[in-house]
Amino acid sequence: MHTLVFLDPGHFHAALTLGDRHPQIRDDLVVHAPKGPELDDFLGLVDAFNRRRERPTAWRVDVHAGEGSLERLVAERPGDVVVLAGRNDRKLATIRRLHDAGFHVLADKPWMAGPDGLDDLRRVLAAGPLAVEMMTGRHEITAILAARLAGDEPVFGRFADGGADEPGIEITSVHHLEKTVNGRPLRRPPWYFDVRVQGDGIADIPTHMVDQAQRLVRAASPGPADDALALELLDARTSSTPVPRALFARVTGVAEFPPELASVVSGAELAYRGNAQLSFRAGPVRVALDTRWELSTPPGGGDAHRSVIRGTRSVIRVEQGPATGFRRHLSVEPRGEPGPVQAALERALAAWSDAHPGLSLAPAARGWEVRVPPALDTGHERHFPLVLAELLALVAEGGRPARLAADTLAKYTLLAQASNLARRRDGAARP
């Protein structure tokens, strides 16, 4: 049995790992954090999980409140697995300190708020206790199925590369600063809007996007078990979303912009440099990424996502937005004679019926939609307990796959290069 310890849980992703119980986790948890609204928000979300009608949890939280939480945690050693989700500017140094002290770490992305920290990353990935990212996208059902389809040559063929206009992989996403989590308005700490702390658009969402591209290319061409997939940066830039003072106040609970953000404030707006465009090669495949932040979740809506994965036999699409009711839809479009692709799709779904029961095909405008039953489409918040379970499984097995460490290092090396390039090209305003 493992005892979980939460260190400075400044981001709601920390509490989401507790959305479901796990047979190898004690119900008694330990939290080391300073007093304040971030700790209060964490405890409130854990209490909401305990009180809900469906799937209630039974967490008992032992709170160690005060300054110097990292030093106190290391000295007291109340558990063996530490969950870390909060400020990104010191995250990797904290992971290294915990790793060197003998703790396994599950840490939210991004691990680097800018281009610095690769030496610490190499250290925590080399040997010893495990440090694993919260890569929830690996558990999203349409992402899993898209990778399986990309690896099915009769369905997908090989990656097609039409150059900059039609990259082999194209991923776009839209996220919202004002949203709800577990049915309640989300409160973000004021430092979330400080790119020196949170990281800019290159640092944040692209960690998921690059990870997805790596898995798609790996699925089509696995390669040696312990080699990183080669990543080559082509271009990178960032841009800002104007954030009105009124929205900042609603999201943070702080009426005025903090003085440390004065250099990115103009009148009643703050320039939040959270948007990014990034292109690179993953092995032989050209990849284009585009992510941006908008202000408030639309009524009845949520985040938006679009992936286009271009093969020589078919194009795989994953779409989420107003046209799909903000649910992810997976479709396959043949690029030639549809009959062989349809037959291959039907064979694939039949072969996957044990692992993914209930999948079916339905005609779509340019091909077929792969229908996913509700039991398999659990939603983003349900993926966080799965990444915790993933870490515990690796602990039980005695280590991470060599490829996972290699690809993690390659991903952050690419993002560090992209961060440097974007700062040079854009002259990005920094507070």
Coordinates of all heavy atoms in Angstrom, one line a residue, residues 86-157:
G86 N 1.4 22.6 -9.6 CA 1.4 23.9 -9.1 C 2.3 24.8 -9.9 O 2.3 24.7 -11.2
R87 N 3.1 25.6 -9.3 CA 4.0 26.6 -10.0 C 5.0 25.8 -10.9 O 5.6 24.9 -10.4 CB 4.7 27.4 -9.0 CG 3.8 28.3 -8.1 CD 4.7 29.0 -7.1 NE 5.7 29.8 -7.7 CZ 5.8 31.2 -7.7 NH1 4.8 31.9 -7.2 NH2 6.8 31.8 -8.3
N88 N 5.1 26.2 -12.1 CA 5.9 25.5 -13.1 C 7.4 26.0 -13.1 O 8.3 25.3 -13.5 CB 5.3 25.6 -14.5 CG 4.0 25.0 -14.6 OD1 3.7 24.0 -13.9 ND2 3.1 25.6 -15.4
D89 N 7.6 27.2 -12.6 CA 9.0 27.8 -12.6 C 9.9 27.0 -11.7 O 11.1 27.0 -12.0 CB 8.9 29.3 -12.3 CG 8.4 29.5 -10.9 OD1 7.6 28.7 -10.4 OD2 8.7 30.6 -10.3
R90 N 9.4 26.4 -10.7 CA 10.3 25.6 -9.8 C 10.0 24.1 -9.8 O 10.5 23.4 -8.9 CB 10.2 26.2 -8.4 CG 8.8 26.2 -7.8 CD 8.7 27.1 -6.6 NE 7.4 27.0 -5.9 CZ 7.0 27.9 -5.1 NH1 7.7 29.0 -4.9 NH2 5.8 27.8 -4.5
K91 N 9.2 23.7 -10.7 CA 8.7 22.3 -10.6 C 9.8 21.3 -10.9 O 9.9 20.3 -10.1 CB 7.6 22.1 -11.7 CG 6.9 20.8 -11.6 CD 5.7 20.7 -12.5 CE 4.6 21.5 -12.1 NZ 3.5 21.5 -13.0
L92 N 10.6 21.5 -11.9 CA 11.6 20.5 -12.2 C 12.7 20.4 -11.1 O 13.2 19.3 -10.8 CB 12.2 20.8 -13.6 CG 13.1 19.6 -14.2 CD1 12.4 18.3 -14.1 CD2 13.5 20.0 -15.6
A93 N 13.1 21.6 -10.6 CA 14.0 21.5 -9.5 C 13.4 20.8 -8.2 O 14.1 20.1 -7.5 CB 14.4 23.0 -9.1
T94 N 12.1 21.0 -8.0 CA 11.5 20.3 -6.9 C 11.4 18.8 -7.2 O 11.6 18.0 -6.3 CB 10.1 20.8 -6.7 OG1 10.1 22.2 -6.4 CG2 9.4 20.1 -5.6
I95 N 11.1 18.4 -8.4 CA 11.1 17.0 -8.8 C 12.4 16.4 -8.5 O 12.6 15.3 -8.0 CB 10.7 16.8 -10.3 CG1 9.2 17.3 -10.5 CG2 10.8 15.4 -10.7 CD1 8.8 17.3 -12.0
R96 N 13.5 17.1 -8.9 CA 14.9 16.5 -8.7 C 15.1 16.4 -7.2 O 15.7 15.4 -6.8 CB 15.9 17.4 -9.4 CG 17.3 16.9 -9.1 CD 18.4 17.6 -9.9 NE 19.7 17.0 -9.6 CZ 20.8 17.3 -10.2 NH1 20.8 18.1 -11.3 NH2 22.0 16.8 -9.8
R97 N 14.8 17.4 -6.4 CA 15.0 17.3 -5.0 C 14.3 16.0 -4.4 O 14.8 15.3 -3.6 CB 14.5 18.5 -4.3 CG 14.6 18.5 -2.8 CD 16.0 18.7 -2.3 NE 16.1 18.5 -0.8 CZ 15.8 19.4 0.1 NH1 15.4 20.6 -0.3 NH2 15.9 19.2 1.4
L98 N 13.0 15.9 -4.8 CA 12.3 14.7 -4.3 C 12.8 13.4 -4.8 O 12.9 12.4 -4.1 CB 10.8 14.9 -4.7 CG 10.0 16.0 -4.1 CD1 8.7 16.2 -4.8 CD2 9.8 15.7 -2.6
H99 N 13.2 13.4 -6.1 CA 13.8 12.2 -6.7 C 15.1 11.8 -5.9 O 15.3 10.6 -5.6 CB 14.1 12.4 -8.1 CG 14.9 11.4 -8.8 ND1 16.3 11.4 -8.8 CD2 14.5 10.3 -9.5 CE1 16.7 10.4 -9.5 NE2 15.7 9.7 -10.0
D100 N 16.0 12.8 -5.7 CA 17.2 12.5 -5.0 C 17.0 12.1 -3.6 O 17.8 11.4 -3.0 CB 18.1 13.7 -5.1 CG 18.6 14.0 -6.5 OD1 18.4 13.2 -7.4 OD2 19.2 15.1 -6.7
A101 N 15.9 12.5 -3.0 CA 15.5 12.1 -1.6 C 14.8 10.7 -1.5 O 14.5 10.3 -0.4 CB 14.7 13.1 -0.9
G102 N 14.6 10.1 -2.7 CA 14.0 8.8 -2.7 C 12.5 8.6 -2.9 O 12.0 7.5 -2.7
F103 N 11.9 9.7 -3.3 CA 10.4 9.7 -3.5 C 10.1 9.4 -5.0 O 10.7 10.0 -5.9 CB 9.8 11.0 -3.1 CG 9.9 11.3 -1.6 CD1 10.9 12.1 -1.2 CD2 8.9 10.9 -0.7 CE1 11.0 12.5 0.2 CE2 9.0 11.2 0.6 CZ 10.1 12.0 1.1
H104 N 9.0 8.6 -5.2 CA 8.4 8.6 -6.5 C 7.6 9.8 -6.7 O 6.9 10.3 -5.7 CB 7.6 7.3 -6.7 CG 8.3 6.1 -6.5 ND1 9.3 5.6 -7.4 CD2 8.2 5.1 -5.6 CE1 9.8 4.5 -7.0 NE2 9.1 4.1 -5.9
V105 N 7.5 10.4 -7.9 CA 6.8 11.7 -8.2 C 5.9 11.5 -9.4 O 6.3 11.1 -10.4 CB 7.8 12.8 -8.4 CG1 7.1 14.1 -8.6 CG2 8.8 12.9 -7.2
L106 N 4.7 11.9 -9.2 CA 3.7 12.2 -10.3 C 3.5 13.7 -10.3 O 3.0 14.3 -9.4 CB 2.4 11.5 -10.0 CG 1.3 11.7 -11.1 CD1 1.7 11.1 -12.4 CD2 -0.1 11.2 -10.6
A107 N 4.0 14.3 -11.5 CA 4.0 15.7 -11.6 C 3.2 16.2 -12.8 O 3.4 15.6 -13.9 CB 5.4 16.3 -11.6
D108 N 2.4 17.2 -12.6 CA 1.6 17.7 -13.7 C 2.6 18.4 -14.7 O 3.7 18.8 -14.4 CB 0.6 18.8 -13.1 CG -0.4 19.2 -14.1 OD1 -0.7 18.4 -15.1 OD2 -1.0 20.3 -14.0
K109 N 2.1 18.4 -15.9 CA 2.8 19.2 -17.0 C 2.5 20.7 -16.8 O 1.5 21.0 -16.3 CB 2.5 18.6 -18.4 CG 1.0 18.7 -18.8 CD 0.7 20.1 -19.3 CE -0.9 20.3 -19.4 NZ -1.2 21.7 -19.5
P110 N 3.4 21.5 -17.4 CA 4.7 21.2 -17.9 C 5.7 21.2 -16.8 O 5.6 21.8 -15.8 CB 4.9 22.4 -18.9 CG 4.2 23.6 -18.2 CD 3.0 23.0 -17.6
W111 N 6.8 20.5 -17.1 CA 7.9 20.4 -16.1 C 8.8 21.6 -16.2 O 9.6 21.8 -15.3 CB 8.6 19.1 -16.2 CG 7.9 17.9 -15.7 CD1 6.6 17.8 -15.3 CD2 8.4 16.6 -15.6 NE1 6.3 16.6 -14.9 CE2 7.3 15.8 -15.0 CE3 9.6 16.0 -15.8 CZ2 7.5 14.4 -14.8 CZ3 9.8 14.6 -15.6 CH2 8.7 13.8 -15.0
M112 N 8.8 22.2 -17.3 CA 9.7 23.4 -17.6 C 8.8 24.6 -18.0 O 8.0 24.4 -18.9 CB 10.7 23.0 -18.6 CG 11.7 22.0 -18.2 SD 12.7 21.2 -19.6 CE 13.3 22.7 -20.4
A113 N 9.0 25.7 -17.4 CA 8.3 26.9 -17.7 C 9.0 27.7 -18.9 O 8.4 28.7 -19.4 CB 8.2 27.8 -16.5
G114 N 10.2 27.3 -19.3 CA 10.9 27.9 -20.3 C 12.0 27.0 -20.8 O 11.9 25.8 -20.7
P115 N 13.1 27.6 -21.3 CA 14.1 26.7 -22.0 C 15.1 26.1 -21.0 O 15.9 25.2 -21.4 CB 14.9 27.7 -22.9 CG 14.7 29.0 -22.2 CD 13.4 29.0 -21.6
D116 N 15.1 26.4 -19.7 CA 16.1 25.9 -18.8 C 15.6 24.7 -18.0 O 14.4 24.6 -17.7 CB 16.4 27.0 -17.8 CG 17.0 28.3 -18.5 OD1 17.7 28.1 -19.5 OD2 16.7 29.4 -18.0
G117 N 16.5 23.8 -17.6 CA 16.2 22.7 -16.8 C 16.5 21.3 -17.3 O 16.2 20.3 -16.7
L118 N 17.1 21.2 -18.5 CA 17.3 19.9 -19.1 C 18.3 19.1 -18.3 O 18.2 17.9 -18.3 CB 17.8 20.1 -20.5 CG 16.8 20.7 -21.5 CD1 17.4 20.9 -22.9 CD2 15.6 19.7 -21.7
D119 N 19.2 19.7 -17.6 CA 20.2 18.9 -16.8 C 19.4 18.2 -15.7 O 19.7 17.0 -15.4 CB 21.3 19.8 -16.2 CG 22.3 20.2 -17.3 OD1 22.3 19.5 -18.4 OD2 23.0 21.2 -17.1
D120 N 18.5 18.9 -15.0 CA 17.7 18.3 -14.0 C 16.8 17.2 -14.5 O 16.6 16.1 -13.9 CB 16.8 19.4 -13.3 CG 17.6 20.2 -12.3 OD1 18.6 19.8 -11.9 OD2 17.1 21.3 -12.0
L121 N 16.3 17.4 -15.7 CA 15.4 16.4 -16.4 C 16.2 15.1 -16.6 O 15.8 14.0 -16.4 CB 14.8 17.0 -17.7 CG 13.9 16.0 -18.4 CD1 12.7 15.7 -17.5 CD2 13.5 16.6 -19.7
R122 N 17.4 15.3 -17.2 CA 18.2 14.1 -17.4 C 18.5 13.3 -16.2 O 18.5 12.1 -16.2 CB 19.6 14.5 -18.1 CG 19.4 15.1 -19.5 CD 20.8 15.3 -20.1 NE 20.7 16.0 -21.4 CZ 20.7 17.3 -21.6 NH1 20.9 18.1 -20.6 NH2 20.6 17.8 -22.8
R123 N 18.7 14.0 -15.1 CA 19.0 13.4 -13.8 C 17.8 12.6 -13.3 O 17.9 11.4 -12.9 CB 19.4 14.4 -12.8 CG 19.5 14.0 -11.3 CD 20.7 13.0 -11.1 NE 20.9 12.7 -9.7 CZ 21.8 13.2 -8.9 NH1 22.7 14.1 -9.5 NH2 21.9 12.9 -7.7
V124 N 16.6 13.1 -13.4 CA 15.4 12.4 -12.8 C 15.0 11.3 -13.7 O 14.3 10.4 -13.2 CB 14.3 13.4 -12.5 CG1 14.7 14.4 -11.5 CG2 13.7 14.0 -13.8
L125 N 15.3 11.3 -15.0 CA 15.0 10.3 -15.9 C 16.0 9.1 -16.0 O 15.7 8.1 -16.5 CB 14.7 10.8 -17.3 CG 13.6 11.8 -17.5 CD1 13.6 12.3 -18.9 CD2 12.3 11.1 -17.2
A126 N 17.2 9.4 -15.4 CA 18.3 8.4 -15.6 C 18.1 7.1 -14.8 O 18.2 6.0 -15.4 CB 19.6 9.1 -15.3
A127 N 17.8 7.2 -13.5 CA 17.8 6.0 -12.7 C 17.1 6.4 -11.4 O 16.9 7.6 -11.1 CB 19.2 5.4 -12.5
G128 N 16.9 5.4 -10.5 CA 16.4 5.7 -9.2 C 14.8 5.8 -9.2 O 14.2 5.2 -10.1
P129 N 14.3 6.5 -8.2 CA 12.8 6.6 -8.1 C 12.2 7.1 -9.3 O 12.9 7.9 -10.1 CB 12.6 7.5 -6.9 CG 13.9 7.4 -6.1 CD 15.0 7.2 -7.1
L130 N 11.0 6.8 -9.6 CA 10.3 7.2 -10.8 C 9.7 8.7 -10.7 O 9.2 9.1 -9.7 CB 9.2 6.3 -11.1 CG 9.6 4.8 -11.5 CD1 8.3 4.0 -11.7 CD2 10.5 4.8 -12.6
A131 N 9.9 9.4 -11.8 CA 9.2 10.7 -12.0 C 8.4 10.6 -13.3 O 9.0 10.3 -14.4 CB 10.2 11.8 -12.1
V132 N 7.1 10.7 -13.2 CA 6.2 10.5 -14.3 C 5.3 11.7 -14.5 O 4.8 12.3 -13.5 CB 5.4 9.2 -14.1 CG1 4.3 9.1 -15.2 CG2 6.3 8.0 -14.1
E133 N 5.0 12.1 -15.8 CA 4.2 13.2 -16.1 C 2.7 12.8 -16.0 O 2.3 11.7 -16.2 CB 4.4 13.7 -17.5 CG 5.7 14.4 -17.8 CD 5.8 14.7 -19.2 OE1 6.1 13.9 -20.1 OE2 5.6 15.9 -19.5
M134 N 1.8 13.8 -15.7 CA 0.4 13.6 -15.8 C 0.0 13.8 -17.3 O -0.4 14.9 -17.7 CB -0.4 14.6 -14.9 CG -0.3 14.4 -13.5 SD -1.3 15.6 -12.6 CE -0.7 15.4 -10.9
M135 N 0.2 12.8 -18.1 CA -0.2 12.9 -19.5 C -1.6 12.2 -19.7 O -1.7 11.1 -20.1 CB 0.9 12.1 -20.3 CG 2.1 12.9 -20.6 SD 1.9 14.3 -21.8 CE 2.0 15.7 -20.7
T136 N -2.6 13.0 -19.4 CA -4.0 12.5 -19.4 C -4.4 12.1 -20.8 O -5.2 11.2 -21.0 CB -5.0 13.5 -18.8 OG1 -4.8 14.7 -19.5 CG2 -4.7 13.6 -17.3
G137 N -3.8 12.8 -21.8 CA -4.2 12.5 -23.2 C -3.9 11.1 -23.6 O -4.6 10.6 -24.6
R138 N -3.0 10.4 -23.0 CA -2.8 9.0 -23.3 C -3.9 8.1 -23.0 O -4.0 6.9 -23.4 CB -1.5 8.5 -22.6 CG -0.2 9.2 -23.0 CD 0.9 8.9 -22.1 NE 2.1 9.7 -22.4 CZ 3.2 9.7 -21.6 NH1 3.2 9.0 -20.5 NH2 4.2 10.4 -21.9
H139 N -4.9 8.6 -22.2 CA -6.0 7.7 -21.7 C -7.3 8.2 -22.4 O -8.4 7.6 -22.1 CB -6.1 7.8 -20.2 CG -4.9 7.3 -19.5 ND1 -4.7 6.0 -19.2 CD2 -3.8 7.9 -19.0 CE1 -3.6 5.8 -18.6 NE2 -3.0 7.0 -18.4
E140 N -7.3 9.1 -23.3 CA -8.5 9.6 -24.0 C -8.8 8.6 -25.1 O -7.9 8.3 -25.9 CB -8.2 11.0 -24.5 CG -9.5 11.8 -24.8 CD -10.2 11.4 -26.0 OE1 -9.5 11.1 -27.0 OE2 -11.5 11.3 -26.0
I141 N -10.0 8.1 -25.2 CA -10.3 7.0 -26.0 C -10.1 7.3 -27.5 O -9.6 6.4 -28.2 CB -11.7 6.4 -25.7 CG1 -12.0 5.2 -26.6 CG2 -12.8 7.5 -26.0 CD1 -11.1 4.0 -26.3
T142 N -10.5 8.5 -28.0 CA -10.3 8.7 -29.4 C -8.8 8.8 -29.7 O -8.4 8.5 -30.8 CB -11.1 10.0 -29.8 OG1 -10.6 11.1 -29.1 CG2 -12.6 9.8 -29.7
A143 N -8.0 9.3 -28.8 CA -6.6 9.4 -29.0 C -6.0 8.0 -29.1 O -5.1 7.7 -29.9 CB -5.9 10.2 -28.0
I144 N -6.4 7.1 -28.2 CA -6.0 5.7 -28.2 C -6.4 5.0 -29.6 O -5.5 4.4 -30.2 CB -6.6 4.9 -27.1 CG1 -6.1 5.5 -25.7 CG2 -6.3 3.4 -27.2 CD1 -6.8 4.9 -24.5
L145 N -7.6 5.2 -30.0 CA -8.1 4.6 -31.2 C -7.4 5.2 -32.5 O -7.1 4.5 -33.4 CB -9.6 4.7 -31.3 CG -10.4 4.0 -30.3 CD1 -11.9 4.3 -30.4 CD2 -10.2 2.5 -30.3
A146 N -7.1 6.5 -32.4 CA -6.5 7.1 -33.6 C -5.1 6.6 -33.7 O -4.6 6.3 -34.9 CB -6.4 8.6 -33.4
A147 N -4.4 6.3 -32.6 CA -3.0 5.7 -32.7 C -3.1 4.3 -33.2 O -2.3 3.9 -34.0 CB -2.4 5.8 -31.3
R148 N -4.1 3.6 -32.8 CA -4.2 2.2 -33.3 C -4.5 2.2 -34.8 O -4.0 1.3 -35.5 CB -5.3 1.4 -32.5 CG -5.0 1.3 -31.0 CD -5.8 0.2 -30.3 NE -5.4 -1.1 -30.8 CZ -5.8 -2.3 -30.2 NH1 -6.5 -2.2 -29.1 NH2 -5.3 -3.4 -30.6
L149 N -5.4 3.1 -35.2 CA -5.7 3.2 -36.6 C -4.5 3.6 -37.5 O -4.2 3.1 -38.5 CB -6.8 4.2 -36.9 CG -8.2 3.7 -36.4 CD1 -9.2 4.9 -36.5 CD2 -8.7 2.5 -37.2
A150 N -3.7 4.5 -36.9 CA -2.4 4.9 -37.6 C -1.5 3.8 -37.8 O -0.6 3.8 -38.7 CB -1.8 6.1 -36.9
G151 N -1.5 2.9 -36.8 CA -0.6 1.7 -36.9 C -1.2 0.5 -37.7 O -0.5 -0.5 -37.8
D152 N -2.4 0.7 -38.3 CA -3.0 -0.4 -39.1 C -2.8 0.0 -40.5 O -3.5 0.8 -41.1 CB -4.5 -0.5 -38.7 CG -5.1 -1.7 -39.2 OD1 -4.9 -2.0 -40.4 OD2 -5.8 -2.4 -38.5
E153 N -1.8 -0.6 -41.2 CA -1.4 -0.3 -42.5 C -2.6 -0.5 -43.6 O -2.7 0.4 -44.4 CB -0.2 -1.1 -43.0 CG 0.6 -0.5 -44.1 CD 0.0 -1.0 -45.5 OE1 -0.8 -2.0 -45.5 OE2 0.2 -0.3 -46.5
P154 N -3.4 -1.5 -43.5 CA -4.5 -1.6 -44.4 C -5.5 -0.5 -44.3 O -6.2 -0.1 -45.3 CB -5.1 -3.0 -44.1 CG -4.0 -3.8 -43.5 CD -3.2 -2.8 -42.7
V155 N -5.7 0.1 -43.1 CA -6.6 1.2 -42.9 C -5.9 2.5 -43.3 O -6.5 3.3 -44.1 CB -7.1 1.3 -41.5 CG1 -7.8 2.6 -41.2 CG2 -7.9 0.1 -41.1
F156 N -4.7 2.8 -42.8 CA -4.1 4.1 -42.9 C -3.0 4.2 -43.9 O -2.8 5.3 -44.5 CB -3.4 4.4 -41.5 CG -2.8 5.7 -41.4 CD1 -3.5 6.9 -41.4 CD2 -1.4 5.9 -41.2 CE1 -3.0 8.1 -41.2 CE2 -0.8 7.1 -41.1 CZ -1.6 8.2 -41.1
G157 N -2.4 3.1 -44.3 CA -1.2 3.2 -45.2 C 0.0 3.7 -44.4 O 0.3 3.3 -43.3

